[in-house]
Amino acid sequence: MTMFSHDAGVPASTSLRNPRRRQRTISDESLAPRQNPKRQRRSGLTSETFKPPYVEPNNGYAIGERAVPIANGHWRSERSTPPNNSGLAIRNRRLSKSDHDRREFRSNSNVLLTKNENYVVTRLTTTPIQLQENQSTETWQSELAAWAGIAVATTQTQAIVWRYKHDINDAKITKPLIIPLLHPSSGIGQPLPLGILVPTSPEPGLLIVMPVSGKVTYWETLSGAASVDSSRRKQLATEGTVQGLLSGEIIVKITEAEPHGFLLTFGTGRVAHMILTDAQGKPAISVQFLRSNAAHAGGFLSGLKWAFSSAGWRRDVAAVHAGESWQRGQRQCIIATTRGLFQVWSLNWNGAHSMLYEVDVKYELLDSVSKNGDPFSNGDEKVFQVLDFIFLPNKVMGDEKALIKTKAEFKLLVLVAFSVMDTFWYYLLTLDLREAGSEVEVVHPISCYRSPLSTESHFKPQLIVPESSQIAFVIFEKSVVLVSLAEVKDTPDSQLQLEAQTLPEPFQDSIDIRRDKPYRIVGCNADLYDKATKESCCTVSVQGYGVIKISVLPVKESLSAFDRPRITARTKIEQAIFFGTLPQNLLDFSGRSEVQFDIEDVEDAALEVSHSIMSSSSSYLPQIGPSIEQWLQLRASALAELMKYLRQHYDNLGRVTRWQLLWNAEKLAAAKALWARHSATLQHKARNQINLLAYIVDCIHEDIKTQNDIDGQEPDGLRHWMVHDTWRMEFVVPWANKVLGVLESESQEDNEPIALAEHARRISEASGLQLAVLETAFEFREANAAFYGLGDERIVDGVLQDDYADLPDPWTSGEIMYAGVEKQIDAAREFVIDYGENADGEGFPSMEVLEKMAADNPRQVEICFRTYKERLRFLKSRDDPELKKERLELKKQFVQVRKSLLIGLVEVNQAEAGLEIAEKHSDMAALAEIVVDEMEAIQENINRCETHQSDLEAKMHLKFTFYKECIDRYFVERGSTWANAFFPRLIEQKKNGPILDYAQKHQHQVTAFLRSHVEYAKLSWINEILSENDYATAGHQLSLAQKTEGDLWTKKTQLSMSKLAVMAAKSKKQVTEDDGENQIRTIDCQLQGLQAQESLLDFLDPFLRGIINDPADKTQAIMRKYGTRFVKHKPALRQLMESGFAKVVVGEVLGIEELIDILTLMDEDAFNPMDPFEEEFRAERFFLALKLLHSCLPGPTDRSRIELQEMIIWRRCMIQNDWEAINHTELKQDTEIELETGGTSLFKTLKQGLKEGSCSHFSFTTDSTVSTHGTNITKGLWENVSQIPPSALLHAGTSLSSLRSSSRYDDTPDNYLTLLAHDLQIEDEALEQCLNKGRLELWWQGMVEAAKQSIKTDAEQAGEQRSRRLSFETKFKERMDREDEESLGRLEVENGNATTETDPQGDVVMGM
């Protein structure tokens, strides 16, 4: 087997060209004249195809070195002469300025896919269309030659070459070259051919390797490869075959290893060195498999052993990369296996090679990861593999650098992966590779990407580090991961952060390709480093899409590389919403599960992004545009995409944040409507008329709008506001009204009054602006609440109904908002009312404008109500006392404003709209007023209609019928709510009769309304009898009516009728016998109180007859007669007495306690003892007071009230007479003493009470012991009244606490009670004087016994009188009988024997 011998690697290929034939240059071929032009075959190239891109002459390496690419994405320096393109058949011309501008424009015409403050991703538009389209199922892979700016894509049958990078010096964008392969693959399922550009002079060459067959095709120039003559294309090619392929062995990778060489990596793990020239520099293909020195020295058996050893082909090669050329004709390369075995080889341009050393760094790599926090430290078995590596530049120079190269020591960046099951972790490790011992210096964990490696992928992960060495690109099939390689500077601050574990993670991010599309990465390379831009760039080929460029932006000069901005939630959100919606964007912005942000950070970021869109401060939005409408739509679309992204990826977004985002979106929607309204107004506005919206913006204070430098770039303040300040939309609404006053003030100052027509136009425009903002906002809110994740919220007409607890103030309902709308409504309505009759007159506004203002008024009212309701609901959720107070005041204000605005609609002929709004907001009071007033107005119009106005009358009747139908519908739909508003309005309009008429159709509502409103009891009892036939309820309603009745006669009449109704109810069995008797008894007690007041009035009537008919004069006359002595020096009691008499003289009903006070406060000596009527009233007044107290006040339910009043009555009764004078009995006979005591009020009251009997409700009625001011008073019956000492009455009501014990004074202020207690204290002192100096305590029991004895004496005397009268009547009858008999006897004697005739009844028949 010769495949293992040294000669086996000798190329078995030769050039197809005749070496003796003179080789023509490309210039000769292009410029030599042809004998037959028609048969001339032309190349597919143009003069600009291979012109290299412009590169800075000094790229950061030593002067005089040129940049030569290393296939792993880094760059090396090699002293050589740059390729000379002068031999190319290119006819250059000097570029004109227009050409230069065109090149610059085309070079910047790449499609922006995404950007942030760290990097920019663009799609290069130079990619051939057949590679961009995704419709084709044909697969391809590519190689990118950054040094030439040219890309090669290979399919099964052809190679496509195009320039993917263009510079301003390029003449034009050229068409791609389509190069058919000389040895196309036989089947679609076979591996794709491998193609790579060869850096030859004067233009690049092309190398094609077939992976399965091992056939190699090499063109020294692309122009030769692209020749349209197939025979010539084949003639210009150098062909060969890789000999010694094993069965099933394929070539998987070509790695550039110049000079004049490439490394071929095989699927079996073998690596071969391929050289494209022979010793004379002529094209020739030779391939040598890399074998160790031991394999060379041992002959056949050693070669066989090497083939099957670990150093042979049975290994899984991770990567093969060639290092820098450290000696002419020499190159070092490194082969790394997935297990961590690194082999360092030395290559020679003539094909010689040798392995310098081999080192296994697996454990060093594992140990370095474990020291930095092994994610698999739980003991699970983990899989380790090396994926790729690249060379890093050593930071040494001169002899030391040469020494390092001689020792073959390298600084590598290694990409490794750890996995357990489907969980992967990736690391970038900085490895110092040495034969004596390798060491890991830095570990860079990749935290933003942990997707598992696909076993079906044809693309292996690749690592790219541009020349700046600050950023690493890790290329996966569906992702590009960016990792910062910046190291932390050793500073005290960094050491503290490191110890506290607060050191921020270096910059990382993952750029992902959409997984729902068949896009996949098929090639990549680093771009040349540009010192001007300082960008680190990587170019990636994506199958089905084209070539994209990732440019990492430089760090700001004030920051270190480690301080590069981190990827934040805001960054991800902005990329998604601004670039995720681009058509055919291949990038996936949905985010990765490895990168999670706290929901608080996401919410803050979302609000920041939303605000940046609203204020046009986002760098992703253009700063100016010709169309504000399109500009607003662009921002609205961005806000919608923002919410769409948040809904998809952050479903747990907070409620408050959702509301704030919705409010921003509705502000922008309002801005669109505002601008549309403004634009429509401009079409009909004269140039000399004020632009109201612009004037509003100008009037808004500078502190609440973005500064606009008029002298700068934006002289239009309105456009500037629409671009930058739409997030302050809440200030436009109030200013729409306020600006009218400002304009009017300015006109007055200038003595230029505003024409009425112009003023009307401004009012109408201001109303339209308010409507445009608020109507749009509320409509947008309700329509889009679900989209913003607020679908469960109760939103009606755009107003949230409840749960404002955590929300900030809604922008649509601030104080300036509802106040501004309300003022604008009033202004428009008043203007229409004032000038409606004179419309279209000279100097007056047009009817068209006034009709529009009237038509807008209902819409304004509706919007005003929404702002009020929203504010009230917001305040309801707040616990702040000040806000609670504000809510109560605002609620009262709203009720008044709502009714006023709804009624105001009638005044501008919008009654039906008012009905609709009142119905919607359930304002029954306003609804009832509109209906009743409109029906009354219609009826008046009908009555005024002349006979010839039959059509108008018919219309009026139809309208009247409409309102009647509305009333019936409201009764059905609203029930009692409507009745409670409608009937009071009828009563207010003195239309009580229709209420009872409605009982015929709506009896239930009428009855329910009347029964529930005590104030309408006078109507209710009639309804109960006529409609309900319910006498019991009628009696109850009359009883309720009299409670609020002030007229004495009316109250007595109502009570009497109530008694009759209860009696009728008893007879009809509508109440039980006991209930009926109780009700009658209660009514009788109330009638008794009225009868007492009538008795008082009858008593005063003779005195008042001679006084002028003036209630005040009568009151003062009564006070002069009966209120002089007892209430003297007692202002509170005098006021009480005077107010009571004032009611008496006008026939107003007195309260029982008021009547008691009058009866007990009248002067004792004012009564005329000679007048029997006055004497009788004086004798009974205190007993009457006690009787009223116990019969007309509720006893058991308020005992303290009755007890206090009863003690005051007795005390006043006792102090009416001079007990000190009575107590002086010396030289007085018993009859005189009895006469004095018998004339006292106390004696007459005791006698009257004892005479009435021991009825418990007339005096001390219980056996309980009540403590009053420390004295125990045992209450007994009238016959036991002697057991109660008068001293127990002391201190009753003489203090504030004593008076407060009575419910009578619950609502009385303390200052009045203090004055009253002082007056009662004077009474108390008088009683105490009677006790001390008049010995009333001793007289008391005697008085009781005397009263009893007097009653007994009176009874005995009455009995004797009855006996004498009976005896007299008997004797008189007997005498009359005797006289009759005697008269009859004398008559018989006188007549002798005469016969007397009698009739059948026994009467004598008298003769004639």
Side-chain angles (χ1 to χ4, degrees):
M1 296 179 62
T2 59
M3 59 179 292
F4 296 108
S5 65
H6 180 72
D7 296 335
V10 176
S13 60
T14 57
S15 174
L16 296 178
R17 293 176 295 176
N18 186 347
R20 296 182 180 179
R21 182 179 178 182
R22 182 179 67 87
Q23 300 296 317
R24 291 183 298 175
T25 65
I26 303 301
S27 303
D28 296 337
E29 183 179 350
S30 300
L31 300 177
R34 298 290 185 184
Q35 296 297 329
N36 189 356
K38 293 183 180 181
R39 300 189 62 181
Q40 181 179 356
R41 300 181 184 273
R42 300 189 179 184
S43 169
L45 301 178
T46 66
S47 61
E48 300 295 328
T49 301
F50 304 113
K51 187 172 183 181
Y54 175 77
V55 182
E56 286 282 347
N58 184 4
N59 60 5
Y61 287 91
I63 301 297
E65 299 179 349
R66 70 177 179 92
V68 180
I70 299 177
N72 65 359
H74 208 61
W75 301 93
R76 64 178 175 84
S77 301
E78 178 177 314
R79 292 188 177 273
S80 59
T81 304
N84 183 7
N85 294 324
S86 60
L88 289 175
I90 298 176
R91 186 179 62 180
N92 287 317
R93 63 181 177 87
R94 183 176 180 83
L95 294 179
S96 66
K97 186 177 186 301
S98 60
D99 292 333
H100 184 280
D101 294 340
R102 189 182 307 113
R103 304 306 168 264
E104 187 172 12
F105 171 77
R106 291 300 300 271
S107 65
N108 294 328
S109 62
N110 297 331
V111 179
L112 179 65
L113 300 182
T114 187
K115 71 172 183 177
N116 56 39
E117 54 190 353
N118 285 295
Y119 58 82
V120 178
V121 182
T122 54
R123 178 185 186 181
L124 304 184
T125 56
T126 56
T127 307
I129 189 65
Q130 58 266 44
L131 298 182
Q132 296 180 25
E133 295 177 350
N134 195 37
Q135 290 82 0
S136 176
T137 58
E138 186 177 17
T139 60
W140 54 277
Q141 64 182 4
S142 74
E143 287 288 340
L144 302 169
W147 49 272
I150 298 175
V152 179
T154 54
T155 67
Q156 296 288 4
T157 59
Q158 62 187 4
I160 303 173
V161 182
W162 75 98
R163 182 179 292 283
Y164 68 87
K165 278 196 338 184
H166 287 274
D167 190 73
I168 59 175
N169 293 324
D170 294 336
K172 60 182 176 179
I173 303 298
T174 58
K175 295 182 180 180
L177 303 180
I178 309 300
I179 303 174
L181 301 183
L182 299 183
H183 306 284
S185 299
S186 58
I188 297 178
Q190 292 187 357
L192 291 171
L194 304 177
I196 191 171
L197 290 178
V198 181
T200 58
S201 178
E203 60 177 281
L206 177 63
L207 175 66
I208 301 295
V209 178
M210 306 305 295
V212 178
S213 63
K215 293 182 178 180
V216 180
T217 305
Y218 168 53
W219 287 277
E220 284 188 280
T221 63
L222 286 175
S223 57
S227 176
V228 295
D229 187 344
S230 58
S231 59
R232 178 168 176 78
R233 184 172 62 253
K234 185 174 183 180
Q235 182 182 14
L236 294 176
T238 301
E239 298 186 71
T241 303
V242 178
Q243 300 294 335
L245 288 176
L246 302 177
S247 176
E249 187 177 30
I250 61 174
I251 303 170
V252 297
K253 181 71 174 176
I254 302 178
T255 304
E256 186 270 333
E258 283 292 319
H260 311 298
F262 294 87
L263 293 174
L264 304 180
T265 304
F266 295 81
T268 57
R270 293 199 296 171
V271 178
H273 184 203
M274 180 171 65
I275 301 175
L276 302 181
T277 59
D278 57 14
Q280 289 77 31
K282 297 179 181 180
I285 298 173
S286 63
V287 179
Q288 295 284 342
F289 285 97
L290 300 187
R291 291 175 294 177
S292 64
N293 298 334
H296 282 283
F300 174 77
L301 293 178
S302 297
L304 184 64
K305 178 181 179 182
W306 173 86
F308 291 97
S309 67
S310 62
W313 57 273
R314 298 187 63 180
R315 55 188 174 179
D316 190 358
V317 174
V320 177
H321 294 300
E324 294 184 0
S325 177
W326 59 278
Q327 184 176 342
R328 181 174 179 80
Q330 293 289 123
R331 191 78 172 267
Q332 294 172 342
C333 74
I334 298 178
I335 302 173
T337 68
T338 58
R339 298 294 183 181
L341 181 67
F342 283 77
Q343 292 181 344
V344 180
W345 292 80
S346 177
L347 306 178
N348 192 279
W349 67 273
N350 59 7
H353 57 269
S354 63
M355 186 174 70
L356 301 180
Y357 61 88
E358 179 182 77
V359 58
D360 190 347
V361 297
K362 174 180 179 180
Y363 294 104
E364 286 81 355
L365 300 178
L366 288 173
D367 185 60
S368 64
V369 172
S370 300
K371 290 180 179 179
N372 286 272
D374 189 355
F376 305 105
S377 57
N378 53 6
D380 295 334
E381 183 178 356
K382 51 183 173 287
V383 177
F384 163 82
Q385 54 183 321
V386 174
L387 301 179
D388 196 9
F389 71 93
I390 56 98
F391 293 89
L392 292 177
N394 279 303
K395 299 179 181 180
V396 294
M397 300 298 292
D399 297 338
E400 185 177 356
K401 182 175 181 180
L403 180 61
I404 291 175
K405 292 180 178 180
T406 304
K407 295 181 178 179
E409 296 178 359
F410 304 94
K411 183 181 289 295
L412 307 179
L413 184 65
V414 184
L415 172 64
V416 300
F418 293 84
S419 62
V420 172
M421 307 276 303
D422 291 332
T423 304
F424 277 71
W425 286 71
Y426 299 94
Y427 294 86
L428 293 178
L429 309 177
T430 303
L431 176 67
D432 281 342
L433 187 67
R434 307 184 190 90
E435 183 177 6
S438 300
E439 180 182 2
V440 176
E441 292 184 349
V442 183
V443 177
H444 300 279
I446 299 178
S447 58
C448 65
Y449 184 88
R450 292 172 190 163
S451 297
L453 294 173
S454 174
T455 57
E456 300 177 357
S457 174
H458 297 287
F459 182 84
K460 289 186 177 181
Q462 295 187 27
L463 179 60
I464 294 175
V465 177
E467 183 181 343
S468 64
S469 300
Q470 296 293 337
I471 291 290
F473 296 85
V474 183
I475 316 296
F476 296 91
E477 188 177 40
K478 284 281 189 178
S479 300
V480 177
V481 179
L482 280 62
V483 181
S484 173
L485 301 180
E487 300 180 8
V488 183
K489 293 183 178 179
D490 190 8
T491 63
D493 290 340
S494 64
Q495 292 178 359
L496 292 175
Q497 289 179 319
L498 184 61
E499 293 175 358
Q501 297 183 349
T502 59
L503 197 65
E505 293 289 333
F507 163 74
Q508 291 187 15
D509 197 12
S510 175
I511 303 173
D512 300 313
I513 295 176
R514 294 174 58 179
R515 299 189 179 278
D516 59 339
K517 299 290 184 179
Y519 302 138
R520 65 184 184 90
I521 295 175
V522 293
C524 58
N525 204 347
D527 276 2
L528 295 172
Y529 181 72
D530 188 350
K531 289 189 65 178
T533 62
K534 298 182 180 180
E535 295 178 358
S536 300
C537 303
C538 172
T539 309
V540 178
S541 296
V542 181
Q543 180 176 322
Y545 191 81
V547 179
I548 64 173
K549 180 180 180 181
I550 304 172
S551 303
V552 179
L553 306 177
V555 182
K556 295 181 179 179
E557 295 182 0
S558 59
L559 301 177
S560 66
F562 185 78
D563 295 327
R564 176 181 291 276
R566 273 63 176 174
I567 296 299
T568 62
R570 176 173 179 173
T571 303
K572 290 297 183 182
I573 292 173
E574 287 178 326
Q575 286 182 297
I577 65 174
F578 291 111
F579 301 103
T581 58
L582 295 178
Q584 299 181 351
N585 195 331
L586 87 157
L587 300 184
D588 181 8
F589 299 100
S590 61
R592 303 191 61 84
S593 59
E594 299 91 337
V595 181
Q596 298 293 331
F597 302 101
D598 293 337
I599 191 61
E600 292 81 6
D601 295 337
V602 174
E603 291 176 349
D604 292 342
L607 294 177
E608 290 173 3
V609 173
S610 179
H611 179 73
S612 69
I613 296 172
M614 293 290 295
S615 60
S616 300
S617 59
S618 174
S619 60
Y620 301 99
L621 291 173
Q623 294 302 306
I624 194 171
S627 172
I628 292 294
E629 180 181 1
Q630 294 178 3
W631 173 251
L632 293 173
Q633 182 58 45
L634 175 65
R635 293 155 66 191
S637 300
L639 289 180
E641 289 299 327
L642 169 62
M643 194 60 223
K644 182 179 178 181
Y645 174 81
L646 294 173
R647 288 183 62 193
Q648 291 177 348
H649 304 289
Y650 298 101
D651 190 51
N652 59 338
L653 202 67
R655 176 173 177 266
V656 175
T657 302
R658 292 178 185 273
W659 270 106
Q660 290 175 314
L661 293 173
L662 175 57
W663 287 337
N664 281 348
E666 68 194 27
K667 283 183 179 181
L668 200 53
K672 292 170 60 180
L674 187 66
W675 183 259
R677 178 85 184 199
H678 169 71
S679 300
T681 305
L682 287 180
Q683 296 178 0
H684 305 90
K685 183 183 297 183
R687 288 187 174 273
N688 60 344
Q689 291 178 332
I690 287 180
N691 186 333
L692 192 63
L693 181 57
Y695 195 82
I696 290 172
V697 170
D698 186 59
C699 288
I700 295 176
H701 196 275
E702 297 298 330
D703 292 343
I704 51 177
K705 64 182 178 182
T706 305
Q707 184 66 30
N708 179 23
D709 186 5
I710 299 179
D711 298 331
Q713 300 176 351
E714 180 56 87
D716 190 339
L718 175 57
R719 286 179 175 268
H720 184 272
W721 190 90
M722 294 299 295
V723 171
H724 299 285
D725 291 304
T726 51
W727 60 279
R728 294 186 172 115
M729 185 61 64
E730 61 270 23
F731 296 105
V732 170
V733 175
W735 263 104
N737 172 261
K738 192 181 298 185
V739 76
L740 298 177
V742 175
L743 288 170
E744 190 170 359
S745 299
E746 290 180 352
S747 66
Q748 292 176 356
E749 292 176 0
D750 298 336
N751 292 324
E752 296 179 359
I754 304 174
L756 290 176
E758 174 63 15
H759 192 48
R761 185 194 65 79
R762 293 176 183 178
I763 294 177
S764 178
E765 186 175 350
S767 299
L769 294 178
Q770 284 189 346
L771 288 172
V773 172
L774 291 177
E775 277 187 337
T776 304
F778 284 121
E779 290 172 3
F780 183 92
R781 184 183 302 171
E782 187 168 14
N784 293 274
F787 176 72
Y788 279 79
L790 301 170
D792 296 334
E793 305 276 348
R794 291 199 315 118
I795 300 176
V796 179
D797 293 331
V799 177
L800 179 64
Q801 299 300 298
D802 49 28
D803 197 9
Y804 284 82
D806 300 323
L807 298 180
D809 290 25
W811 72 276
T812 47
S813 59
E815 181 178 359
I816 61 173
M817 188 68 68
Y818 60 75
V821 176
E822 183 183 344
K823 290 178 181 178
Q824 183 61 28
I825 294 172
D826 293 338
R829 184 183 66 250
E830 292 171 2
F831 195 90
V832 173
I833 295 172
D834 293 342
Y835 301 103
E837 296 181 357
N838 300 317
D840 291 330
E842 184 177 356
F844 288 93
S846 66
M847 180 60 72
E848 180 182 0
V849 174
L850 294 180
E851 287 179 349
K852 183 180 182 304
M853 292 168 65
D856 286 343
N857 215 243
R859 295 166 58 197
Q860 292 176 277
V861 170
E862 168 64 25
I863 290 300
C864 183
F865 289 176
R866 295 184 192 181
T867 59
Y868 264 104
K869 284 187 172 182
E870 186 174 65
R871 183 63 181 175
L872 285 170
R873 285 174 170 83
F874 169 77
L875 294 175
K876 185 179 180 181
S877 66
R878 293 304 187 259
D879 296 328
D880 189 340
E882 291 297 326
L883 294 181
K884 286 185 176 181
K885 181 180 178 181
E886 179 186 344
R887 177 178 176 270
L888 294 176
E889 295 175 353
L890 186 63
K891 189 174 182 181
K892 294 178 183 178
Q893 177 182 334
F894 177 49
V895 173
Q896 298 173 355
V897 168
R898 183 176 62 189
K899 186 176 180 181
S900 172
L901 294 181
L902 288 172
I903 301 303
L905 292 176
V906 179
E907 300 177 2
V908 292
N909 200 26
Q910 298 293 325
E912 294 185 11
L915 283 182
E916 183 179 350
I917 298 174
E919 285 183 42
K920 184 176 183 179
H921 293 273
S922 300
D923 192 331
M924 295 296 103
L927 193 65
E929 187 168 343
I930 293 174
V931 170
V932 173
D933 293 355
E934 279 294 291
M935 292 181 71
E936 184 177 0
I938 293 171
Q939 188 62 55
E940 292 177 357
N941 291 333
I942 292 175
N943 296 336
R944 287 197 299 265
C945 284
E946 304 291 340
T947 56
H948 64 277
Q949 295 178 315
S950 56
D951 293 341
L952 177 61
E953 185 176 357
K955 292 181 179 179
M956 292 293 102
H957 278 291
L958 286 175
K959 199 170 185 181
F960 192 84
T961 303
F962 165 75
Y963 282 108
K964 288 181 65 176
E965 292 174 351
C966 286
I967 292 173
D968 293 336
R969 177 166 57 86
Y970 296 154
F971 273 120
V972 174
E973 296 176 356
R974 306 283 180 165
S976 60
T977 306
W978 165 247
N980 292 337
F982 178 59
F983 292 140
R985 182 59 182 174
L986 290 177
I987 296 172
E988 185 180 340
Q989 297 293 321
K990 309 301 181 183
K991 297 178 180 179
N992 299 351
I995 295 180
L996 299 179
D997 294 338
Y998 279 111
Q1000 298 177 5
K1001 290 183 65 175
H1002 309 288
Q1003 180 177 338
H1004 174 71
Q1005 285 86 351
V1006 173
T1007 300
F1009 166 75
L1010 294 175
R1011 286 179 177 178
S1012 61
H1013 291 77
V1014 179
E1015 62 271 24
Y1016 306 132
K1018 295 178 183 180
L1019 279 175
S1020 180
W1021 76 271
I1022 301 175
N1023 177 70
E1024 297 295 339
I1025 292 176
L1026 295 180
S1027 301
E1028 301 291 338
N1029 197 28
D1030 188 344
Y1031 291 92
T1033 306
H1036 176 68
Q1037 292 295 322
L1038 283 167
S1039 177
L1040 293 176
Q1042 62 83 27
K1043 289 183 178 181
T1044 57
E1045 181 57 57
D1047 184 72
L1048 180 62
W1049 183 87
T1050 305
K1051 186 172 183 130
K1052 185 176 180 180
T1053 303
Q1054 290 173 347
L1055 283 172
S1056 301
M1057 295 178 66
S1058 176
K1059 184 176 180 179
L1060 289 174
V1062 174
M1063 294 173 67
K1066 281 179 59 181
S1067 66
K1068 291 181 175 293
K1069 306 299 182 182
Q1070 293 179 354
V1071 295
T1072 63
E1073 190 73 21
D1074 293 340
D1075 289 343
E1077 290 297 332
N1078 290 334
Q1079 292 182 35
I1080 292 173
R1081 189 178 300 112
T1082 301
I1083 294 172
D1084 287 341
C1085 289
Q1086 293 174 317
L1087 287 172
Q1088 184 179 357
L1090 298 180
Q1091 183 63 41
Q1093 185 172 344
E1094 283 187 334
S1095 299
L1096 175 62
L1097 187 59
D1098 292 341
F1099 169 76
L1100 295 173
D1101 185 63
F1103 171 73
L1104 297 174
R1105 287 177 184 175
I1107 303 175
I1108 192 170
N1109 192 21
D1110 183 13
D1113 291 343
K1114 291 181 178 181
T1115 302
Q1116 292 303 317
I1118 296 174
M1119 288 298 296
R1120 285 193 295 270
K1121 181 173 178 60
Y1122 296 102
T1124 302
R1125 184 186 62 83
F1126 193 80
V1127 295
K1128 187 178 182 181
H1129 305 303
K1130 301 172 185 175
L1133 292 178
R1134 178 179 176 82
Q1135 179 184 352
L1136 191 150
M1137 186 180 184
E1138 187 174 354
S1139 64
F1141 277 132
K1143 292 181 179 179
V1144 170
V1145 296
V1146 295
E1148 187 176 340
V1149 178
L1150 289 174
I1152 295 300
E1153 287 162 312
E1154 288 180 304
L1155 182 57
I1156 289 173
D1157 286 332
I1158 289 178
L1159 292 173
T1160 58
L1161 291 174
M1162 296 174 72
D1163 292 340
E1164 181 79 4
D1165 55 2
F1167 295 94
N1168 185 5
M1170 303 306 295
D1171 186 338
F1173 182 67
E1174 287 195 26
E1175 180 61 21
E1176 181 183 1
F1177 185 83
R1178 182 188 71 84
E1180 293 181 353
R1181 62 187 180 119
F1182 284 101
F1183 173 73
L1184 181 58
L1186 290 169
K1187 188 176 180 179
L1188 291 173
L1189 177 65
H1190 288 281
S1191 62
C1192 299
L1193 285 182
T1197 58
D1198 199 354
R1199 288 301 307 165
S1200 60
R1201 181 173 184 171
I1202 296 176
E1203 289 169 359
L1204 178 60
Q1205 190 65 49
E1206 184 177 18
M1207 295 171 70
I1208 293 174
I1209 294 172
W1210 279 109
R1211 183 171 63 194
R1212 290 174 181 170
C1213 178
M1214 293 178 181
I1215 64 176
Q1216 289 294 320
N1217 304 100
D1218 188 357
W1219 287 98
E1220 184 178 359
I1222 295 173
N1223 188 49
H1224 290 287
T1225 59
E1226 59 270 25
L1227 302 178
K1228 292 181 181 180
Q1229 296 181 3
D1230 288 346
T1231 54
E1232 185 180 355
I1233 295 174
E1234 289 177 357
L1235 184 62
E1236 287 183 351
T1237 56
T1240 61
S1241 295
L1242 177 60
F1243 178 82
K1244 293 183 179 297
T1245 301
L1246 288 172
K1247 182 178 178 179
Q1248 186 72 21
L1250 293 171
K1251 184 179 179 180
E1252 290 285 341
S1254 56
C1255 298
S1256 62
H1257 60 281
F1258 284 163
S1259 188
F1260 305 117
T1261 59
T1262 66
D1263 297 331
S1264 61
T1265 300
V1266 180
S1267 177
T1268 304
H1269 307 292
T1271 303
N1272 290 333
I1273 305 175
T1274 302
K1275 307 288 186 178
L1277 301 179
W1278 273 96
E1279 59 267 22
N1280 299 322
V1281 72
S1282 60
Q1283 301 177 9
I1284 306 172
S1287 58
L1289 304 176
L1290 291 172
H1291 311 302
T1294 59
S1295 65
L1296 187 63
S1297 60
S1298 177
L1299 292 174
R1300 284 296 184 196
S1301 66
S1302 172
S1303 60
R1304 178 184 180 183
Y1305 305 109
D1306 286 346
D1307 299 327
T1308 308
D1310 288 347
N1311 56 351
Y1312 177 79
L1313 288 185
T1314 302
L1315 188 62
L1316 179 60
H1318 174 266
D1319 293 353
L1320 295 177
Q1321 178 65 35
I1322 297 175
E1323 291 183 0
D1324 206 61
E1325 292 172 355
L1327 176 61
E1328 192 171 4
Q1329 185 175 3
C1330 293
L1331 292 172
N1332 296 334
K1333 296 182 179 182
R1335 298 192 302 167
L1336 181 59
E1337 194 84 12
L1338 298 177
W1339 285 99
W1340 168 254
Q1341 294 183 358
M1343 294 289 289
V1344 174
E1345 294 301 323
K1348 291 180 180 180
Q1349 185 62 38
S1350 178
I1351 294 172
K1352 183 178 180 182
T1353 301
D1354 289 346
E1356 290 175 352
Q1357 291 176 355
E1360 290 178 357
Q1361 289 178 358
R1362 283 193 300 270
S1363 297
R1364 285 195 298 269
R1365 186 169 55 250
L1366 182 61
S1367 176
F1368 173 78
E1369 291 175 353
T1370 302
K1371 291 178 179 180
F1372 178 77
K1373 183 178 182 182
E1374 290 176 351
R1375 189 180 69 179
M1376 292 303 294
D1377 288 343
R1378 286 196 303 269
E1379 290 178 354
D1380 288 342
E1381 290 177 356
E1382 292 176 355
S1383 297
L1384 182 61
R1386 285 195 297 269
L1387 181 62
E1388 290 177 349
V1389 172
E1390 291 176 358
N1391 293 332
N1393 295 325
T1395 304
T1396 303
E1397 294 183 8
T1398 60
D1399 61 12
Q1401 285 79 23
D1403 294 331
V1404 177
V1405 178
M1406 304 299 292
M1408 296 300 293

